[in-house]
Amino acid sequence: MEPGSWGNRTTVTEFVLLGLTENIRLQPILFAVFLCAYVVTVGGNFSILAAILVEPKLHTPMYYFLGNLSLLDIGCITVTVPPMLACLLAHHCRVPYAACISQLFFFHLLAGVDCHLLTAMAYDRYLAICQPLTYSTRMSHVVQGALVGICCTVSFINALTHTVAVSVLDFCGPNVVNHFYCDLPPLFQLSCSSIHLNGQLLFVGATFMGVIPMILISTSYAHVAAAVLRIRSAEGRKKAFSTCGSHLTVVCIFYGTGFFSYMRLGSVSASDKDKGIGILNTILSPMLNPVIYSLRNPDVQGALKRVLTGKRPPE
């Protein structure tokens, strides 16, 4: 192998992704399945965005964050699935070193923003239910923009740190990645230099991107649950819980798969289980989010119907 463009220490110029299967007969079936999943995910999330834009009732902080979440879901699945579909069509997958590193960066950037945006959404629910009198001032347009900006900044620093740390590792062969996209754990297994620093950075990153947000989300919903239980009306309790249930479901799916993926660095080799978790994280979660948020929400359902039928919202 020739020296790579990232310095004389790197000898691998491309990685070979094994993908989901090496069975050629299964590849056309998987291509059709994941193409449908991609189209459904992108269509569903664009539908949510359109509904939020056209429906005046949805011009609130909660749906502002949901719109951003839909954009992130579109970005996350676009970073991983189209390259995988191209590999399934070609029956092999050779990824240039720079392209692999770029995919790693953008995936962690978007997924990281997702982590913190879910935290901002929990904070929004806390203010709406526990501090309703000051909600409009505490969650103004300026605050909403600032929260999204903080989410993006923290995620950018985290993604850039991991990308730079991986780019200085030695990859001198083999170059076969047992996964369907470039990610930290499978690349660590191919490095022929020490990954001790990378492991420490991953632990620190997991703390800021996973543990701290989960603590904040849990704290927010502990206060929300206490406030809801004080509501005397059964209908009021049901309405309050319904606005939080969708968000909690998404949080459980997203963080559950994420923690399982990145807390298994002690594993000697990658396995098909890692690929399954990857599918949950990169494909299933973005695909389910529009369904979860619209399933029990009459406002979103009504707005979606108007978007699909072309009807104008009521004045």
Side-chain angles (χ1 to χ4, degrees):
M1 296 182 186
E2 297 176 0
S5 61
W6 291 78
N8 294 329
R9 297 176 62 194
T10 301
T11 55
V12 168
T13 58
E14 64 179 16
F15 292 102
V16 178
L17 302 184
L18 291 183
L20 293 173
T21 181
E22 295 180 79
N23 188 329
I24 295 179
R25 292 182 179 180
L26 282 177
Q27 288 177 356
I29 299 172
L30 290 174
F31 176 85
V33 169
F34 288 109
L35 177 61
C36 289
Y38 180 71
V39 171
V40 168
T41 301
V42 173
N45 281 288
F46 270 128
S47 297
I48 292 289
L49 279 170
I52 292 170
L53 288 172
V54 304
E55 178 58 66
K57 285 184 180 179
L58 304 183
H59 295 172
T60 63
M62 181 174 75
Y63 293 106
Y64 170 76
F65 292 126
L66 179 56
N68 280 278
L69 186 67
S70 293
L71 282 175
L72 289 170
D73 286 339
I74 293 168
C76 276
I77 199 169
T78 300
V79 166
T80 55
V81 172
M84 180 185 72
L85 293 176
C87 292
L88 287 171
L89 275 181
H91 303 301
H92 63 81
C93 196
R94 295 183 176 275
V95 181
Y97 181 87
C100 186
I101 295 297
S102 297
Q103 185 184 49
L104 175 77
F105 170 77
F106 284 109
F107 176 73
H108 280 270
L109 173 65
L110 295 168
V113 178
D114 221 331
C115 286
H116 288 284
L117 192 62
L118 289 172
T119 309
M121 293 173 76
Y123 177 63
D124 171 72
R125 291 300 81 207
Y126 161 74
L127 289 181
I129 294 173
C130 300
Q131 308 286 338
L133 297 179
T134 58
Y135 175 66
S136 58
T137 54
R138 290 193 179 190
M139 193 53 73
S140 63
H141 291 298
V142 174
V143 173
Q144 295 169 43
L147 286 173
V148 172
I150 292 170
C151 294
C152 294
T153 302
V154 173
S155 180
F156 177 80
I157 294 171
N158 177 70
L160 185 64
T161 300
H162 287 307
T163 303
V164 172
V166 168
S167 69
V168 298
L169 291 176
D170 290 334
F171 294 101
C172 43
N175 66 336
V176 178
V177 179
N178 187 16
H179 217 304
F180 62 92
Y181 65 95
C182 293
D183 201 7
L184 292 173
L187 289 181
F188 288 168
Q189 291 158 6
L190 298 181
S191 174
C192 49
S193 56
S194 173
I195 61 168
H196 178 70
L197 176 61
N198 300 80
Q200 290 181 323
L201 288 173
L202 192 60
F203 178 79
V204 173
T207 301
F208 282 98
M209 309 303 291
V211 177
I212 292 177
M214 273 302 296
I215 291 173
L216 294 175
I217 290 171
S218 300
T219 303
S220 295
Y221 275 109
H223 285 91
V224 167
V228 169
L229 291 174
R230 288 196 295 268
I231 298 175
R232 294 181 180 181
S233 165
E235 185 65 27
R237 287 197 299 269
K238 183 180 178 181
K239 184 177 179 180
F241 274 127
S242 68
T243 62
C244 302
S246 301
H247 181 248
L248 279 174
T249 304
V250 171
V251 167
C252 291
I253 294 173
F254 183 83
Y255 278 99
T257 55
F259 274 121
F260 193 82
S261 295
Y262 296 105
M263 292 300 172
R264 298 182 67 246
L265 289 181
S267 176
V268 176
S269 60
S271 67
D272 290 338
K273 289 181 181 180
D274 298 305
K275 297 178 186 179
I277 295 296
I279 291 172
L280 288 174
N281 221 11
T282 62
I283 300 171
L284 195 62
S285 181
M287 186 171 65
L288 289 178
N289 284 355
V291 178
I292 293 170
Y293 279 108
S294 63
L295 196 61
R296 298 176 61 185
N297 193 318
D299 291 334
V300 174
Q301 290 173 2
L304 285 173
K305 287 177 183 177
R306 283 187 282 276
V307 168
L308 295 174
T309 59
K311 294 181 179 179
R312 291 186 177 183
E315 297 295 334

